[in-house]
Amino acid sequence: MLTSGMTPIRRVVTGTDAEGRSRIVSDGPAPNAKEASLGTRTNNTNLWVWAKTPLPLSGDRDEGNMPYDFPGPPGGGHLRIVETLARPEGYDAASDTNLKPVHPPTARPGNRSWDRGGKNAFSSGMHKTQSVDYGIMLEGERELILDDRTLLMKPGDICIQVGAWHNWSSPRLGCIMAFDMNDALFVDGADGLVQGKDAVIEPQPDAWPKGVRPVRRIVTVDREKGRSSLVSDGPAPDVLTDPARPGFASARLWVIDSTPARIVYETLDLPQSLEPPKRGSLCRVETHPPDADWKGSVGAGEVAAFFKAAGSPSASTYSAAAPHSYMQKTETLDFCFVLEGEVVLVTDTGEAALKRGDMVVQRGTKHAWSNRSNAPAVVAIAAHGGTF
């Protein structure tokens, strides 16, 4: 698995037609794919770049082709896929041209990222970025190396990197990961230490519905200068269900309420909503049961009750004549990754059947997720405040 070549990333982008109806604007391999700067065995596909918040929702420009300096534009951010190949068979450090010795922290160009060396053909080296990142594991496995421990991430796991030092390594299997990187505020310069004393919200017993696989949430910070540490590692603690759809779950993992993002221990104390703050973002994971399990028993009342409980009553665009009961629209730009199963993206004028590894850029358009299979479908969503 993932020992050579480069995996194309299917990217679906939505928009509206001249009559304001939602539609699929493009569907195909993300165009901005290239070998990344971390080494010849790491590939990089840029999916979207934004230089300000709220993010623009209209226009025809492909923001995946916009230039940026790592980790992303100040006041904005960027979304990319990183594909790392596994350690070569018979690996010999003596002949590794990517090898960089460990060294004191050094600023990279732009003074918004730093490294401490330790890079090799299958590891990124210890580094730190002035950003809050949602790291979503899509395929394979990867070691997340902190100063106080090493964690093994597998498909479906999500790491919230809150400005922490870290190293990524693939000693056994290669991997494909998505990174939504958001500009952050380091109040103490390059140190980027966590601020405040927010209580970390712990998972509650039986929070996840029976038969729904919990989403693993990892949160990391720097509590002291030059040293990263783990805040939490376990099932996402904030889970919303829908009584009308047994087997449905929407789990919040992190909320960014300002730009630049704050460096804090926890954010799930912020009000429940499917929509992020206007100048922020929200990382959540939705599990959709087969439509056949609930179709015929859901109407306007059940749909309205769900969106009210979700903190977004105005998001519903329910109509008995609509193509799906849970059609919705929010003034957000959503990056959506299919983590498990099969799901159909429904718009006013067309559909896209998606499978694991596919992704959608949802540009503030009316849509729904329809599961026409006989197994759950899992979708990770990084929603950003947008404006038309």
Side-chain angles (χ1 to χ4, degrees):
M1 178 191 296
L2 304 177
T3 57
S4 64
M6 188 172 184
T7 304
I9 304 300
R10 181 188 178 194
R11 187 191 66 165
V12 177
V13 181
T14 69
T16 56
D17 62 17
E19 298 177 6
R21 299 174 301 177
S22 59
R23 67 186 182 101
I24 294 170
V25 174
S26 64
D27 181 354
N32 195 355
K34 59 185 178 181
E35 186 176 85
S37 60
L38 292 179
T40 57
R41 295 180 61 78
T42 301
N43 302 312
N44 186 359
T45 301
N46 291 324
L47 298 170
W48 215 254
V49 180
W50 58 100
K52 62 180 181 179
T53 57
L55 280 67
L57 299 174
S58 57
D60 299 324
R61 187 171 66 180
D62 188 338
E63 305 291 347
N65 289 319
M66 296 299 292
Y68 70 93
D69 293 323
F70 187 79
H78 87 291
L79 177 74
R80 64 174 179 162
I81 296 282
V82 173
E83 179 178 15
T84 303
L85 306 182
R87 176 169 51 191
E89 187 174 348
Y91 173 75
D92 180 9
S95 59
D96 185 354
T97 58
N98 297 289
L99 195 66
K100 300 294 182 184
V102 175
H103 58 73
T106 302
R108 293 171 172 170
N111 292 313
R112 296 178 61 243
S113 65
W114 301 263
D115 79 81
R116 289 168 21 200
K119 185 175 82 171
N120 58 35
F122 56 93
S123 303
S124 66
M126 208 70 171
H127 63 286
K128 177 185 180 75
T129 57
Q130 191 171 315
S131 61
V132 173
D133 309 337
Y134 309 145
I136 305 169
M137 179 64 74
L138 302 177
E139 185 175 343
E141 66 178 38
R142 205 176 195 191
E143 290 183 349
L144 168 58
I145 302 172
L146 305 174
D147 285 296
D148 70 347
R149 71 194 68 206
T150 296
L151 303 171
L152 181 65
M153 291 184 63
K154 295 189 175 183
D157 295 347
I158 297 179
C159 175
I160 313 298
Q161 286 280 3
V162 190
W165 283 102
H166 61 286
N167 185 358
W168 296 108
S169 185
S170 301
R172 196 175 76 89
L173 296 176
C175 80
I176 299 177
M177 282 191 76
F179 288 92
D180 183 318
M181 305 183 71
N182 302 268
D183 184 30
L185 175 64
F186 282 10
V187 299
D188 47 8
D191 292 343
L193 301 183
V194 65
Q195 304 296 307
K197 297 180 180 179
D198 308 276
V200 177
I201 298 177
E202 300 294 340
Q204 298 299 311
D206 304 321
W208 286 84
K210 185 178 179 180
V212 177
R213 183 170 63 85
V215 177
R216 181 188 183 193
R217 181 185 81 146
I218 301 167
V219 179
T220 69
V221 300
D222 284 2
R223 289 185 172 94
E224 55 185 283
K225 182 176 180 179
R227 182 172 174 79
S228 55
S229 60
L230 182 70
V231 172
S232 63
D233 179 6
D238 185 356
V239 187
L240 173 73
T241 59
D242 182 0
R245 288 180 290 174
F248 174 87
S250 177
R252 288 197 308 169
L253 279 75
W254 199 258
V255 182
I256 292 175
D257 63 357
S258 62
T259 298
R262 297 181 298 129
I263 303 298
V264 293
Y265 286 100
E266 182 64 276
T267 62
L268 296 184
D269 55 325
L270 292 168
Q272 175 66 252
S273 178
L274 296 177
E275 304 156 85
K278 198 64 177 176
R279 299 194 69 244
S281 69
L282 164 64
C283 180
R284 71 179 191 272
V285 176
E286 295 184 350
T287 300
H288 292 268
D291 288 7
D293 291 355
W294 55 265
K295 257 191 170 181
S297 60
V298 169
E302 289 79 10
V303 172
F306 166 73
F307 282 100
K308 181 179 179 180
S312 298
S314 63
S316 174
T317 61
Y318 178 86
S319 166
H324 195 275
S325 299
Y326 286 85
M327 292 293 283
Q328 58 188 281
K329 182 177 181 179
T330 55
E331 197 170 2
T332 61
L333 195 149
D334 303 341
F335 305 128
C336 314
F337 297 87
V338 181
L339 301 181
E340 184 180 320
E342 299 177 354
V343 69
V344 177
L345 170 67
V346 180
T347 72
D348 288 330
T349 61
E351 300 180 345
L354 306 167
K355 63 181 186 303
R356 184 170 64 90
D358 294 342
M359 72 86 53
V360 176
V361 178
Q362 183 70 242
R363 303 189 73 176
T365 50
K366 191 188 302 182
H367 70 282
W369 302 103
S370 177
N371 183 352
R372 299 167 189 173
S373 73
N374 58 7
V378 182
V379 183
I381 301 171
H384 293 257
T387 184
F388 287 104

